[in-house]
């Protein structure tokens, strides 16, 4: 890393970041996928086959967002975003809006957003807070049955991939919070950053994951405890040139 260019920081977050706000994670005992088969609710084929079921699943989750608030980890990451002297990007797999509600600006929703819908006919993407039904007309083209949640489903290409690859290749610090590391391409980001020279890779999780061996530091504990501590450390380290 050059002493003249401030270090660049890339964050990857997953469901563990929002878990303590009350948003269910995907895997594990009470995980979202425990109650549903992925192929029934999170694939383009499921939407063709049973759009009502898919809408019901995402309507419940969209409504659930109104009952949760950002937690100490979301707020700490916004402090990091504001105070980090170099390039900063937060890539999230989460489809909630808790980072934005905490004040995040430099955020890439690689798996889409619950608070948006997309028309598969005219391709318009619109903010959406209410329930979506198969009879809801697209406000842009007027067709019914064409609006879908703006969520990246299994078998679809994640958003912002070119931009994500570019920032990972330049990362000096890579921070990964609350992801099980089983869904690609996100699960491969730590290795990709390391292959391109990233020297400091930090994983925050309740437990070891299948990708823990790609990290130079592992912090085990709840995100609301570990992330604020880590943000203090990183800002202190970068201020005295230790990063
Ligand atoms: P998972 O549910 O697979 O994993 C959540 C991770 O967070 C686990 O490793 C937990 O140990 C950890 N965790 C839980 N609570 C935590 C806490 N309070 N503090 C720190 N860590 C905690 O969720 P993701 O890895 O985000 O994709 O899942 C990745 C993708 O799989 C999702 O974006 C979604 C899903 O299928 C799509 O829908 C396309």
């Amino acid at each position: 890393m050059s002493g003249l260019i401030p270090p660049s920081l890339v964050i990857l977050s997953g469901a563990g970041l929002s878990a303590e706000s009350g948003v269910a994670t995907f895997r594990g005992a009470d995980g979202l996928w425990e109650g549903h088969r992925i192929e029934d609710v999170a694939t383009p084929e499921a939407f063709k086959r049973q759009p009502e079921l898919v809408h019901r699943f995402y309507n419940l989750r969209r409504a659930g967002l109104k009952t949760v608030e950002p937690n100490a980890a979301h707020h700490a990451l916004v402090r990091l975003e504001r105070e980090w002297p170099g390039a900063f990007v937060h890539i999230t797999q989460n489809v909630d809006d808790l980072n934005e509600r905490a004040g995040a600006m430099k955020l890439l929703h690689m798996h889409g957003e619950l608070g948006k819908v997309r028309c598969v006919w005219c391709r318009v993407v619109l903010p959406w807070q209410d329930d979506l039904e198969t009879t809801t007309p697209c406000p842009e083209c007027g067709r019914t049955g064409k609006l879908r949640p703006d969520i990246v489903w299994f078998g679809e290409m994640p958003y912002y991939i070119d931009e994500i690859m570019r920032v990972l290749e330049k990362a000096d610090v890579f921070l990964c919070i609350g992801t099980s590391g089983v869904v690609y391409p996100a699960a491969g980001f730590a290795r990709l950053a390391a292959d391109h020279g990233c020297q400091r890779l930090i994983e925050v999780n309740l437990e070891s994951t299948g990708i823990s061996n790609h990290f130079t530091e592992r912090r085990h504990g709840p995100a609301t405890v570990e992330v604020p501590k880590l943000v203090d450390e990183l800002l202190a380290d970068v201020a005295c040139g230790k990063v």
Side-chain angles (χ1 to χ4, degrees):
M1 184 198 359
S2 155
L4 297 174
I5 304 170
S8 97
L9 171 63
V10 178
I11 298 171
L12 172 68
S13 62
L17 175 63
S18 297
E20 290 163 86
S21 291
V23 181
T25 61
F26 291 92
R27 296 166 184 87
D30 297 321
L32 276 173
W33 297 150
E34 281 295 296
H36 297 85
R37 295 189 325 147
I38 288 171
E39 54 271 31
D40 286 340
V41 290
T43 65
E45 293 74 24
F47 186 58
K48 273 206 189 100
R49 212 171 42 239
Q50 289 182 292
E52 296 83 5
L53 178 69
V54 174
H55 281 319
R56 203 176 323 129
F57 178 74
Y58 288 100
N59 286 346
L60 277 174
R61 298 186 61 206
R62 194 179 302 109
L65 283 191
K66 294 177 184 154
T67 67
V68 295
E69 296 292 333
N71 65 44
H74 297 107
H75 288 295
L77 291 179
V78 170
R79 179 167 165 247
L80 188 57
E81 173 181 327
R82 290 183 181 152
E83 296 183 22
W84 187 258
F88 177 104
V89 179
H90 179 173
I91 305 159
T92 189
Q93 299 167 89
N94 297 345
V95 295
D96 65 54
D97 59 354
L98 294 177
N99 293 290
E100 290 92 328
R101 279 158 57 190
M105 306 287 286
K106 299 174 184 171
L107 187 68
L108 299 178
H109 275 281
M110 67 175 290
H111 287 168
E113 294 172 67
L114 266 178
K116 288 185 180 168
V117 294
R118 179 153 51 90
C119 177
V120 296
W121 185 265
C122 72
R123 296 175 194 277
V124 69
V125 175
L126 299 165
W128 203 270
Q129 303 305 328
D130 304 319
D131 283 356
L132 194 56
E133 314 291 344
T134 51
T135 50
T136 313
C138 169
E140 187 76 11
C141 69
R143 286 188 165 76
T144 54
K146 300 295 179 190
L147 287 177
R148 59 166 276 184
D150 192 25
I151 302 282
V152 175
W153 285 327
F154 286 88
E156 296 184 321
M157 190 68 88
Y159 293 155
Y160 306 111
I161 274 301
D162 291 346
E163 188 174 349
I164 289 171
M165 292 302 144
R166 273 198 303 276
V167 298
L168 286 172
E169 287 172 9
K170 291 190 187 135
D172 296 304
V173 182
F174 179 75
L175 171 55
C176 181
I177 304 163
T179 181
S180 53
V182 298
V183 175
Y184 282 82
F189 289 173
R191 189 207 300 244
L192 200 142
D195 285 349
H196 283 81
C198 182
Q199 303 274 328
R200 191 166 180 190
L201 300 107
I202 311 164
E203 181 181 53
V204 177
N205 202 299
L206 289 179
E207 57 194 21
S208 288
T209 67
I211 54 169
S212 290
N213 59 327
H214 295 305
F215 293 85
T216 57
E217 295 169 44
R218 287 167 285 274
R219 315 276 173 115
H220 286 165
T224 56
V225 174
E226 295 303 322
V227 174
K229 269 200 297 196
L230 183 59
V231 166
D232 286 344
E233 276 176 48
L234 285 171
L235 288 173
D237 285 353
V238 78
C240 63
K242 265 172 60 187
V243 176

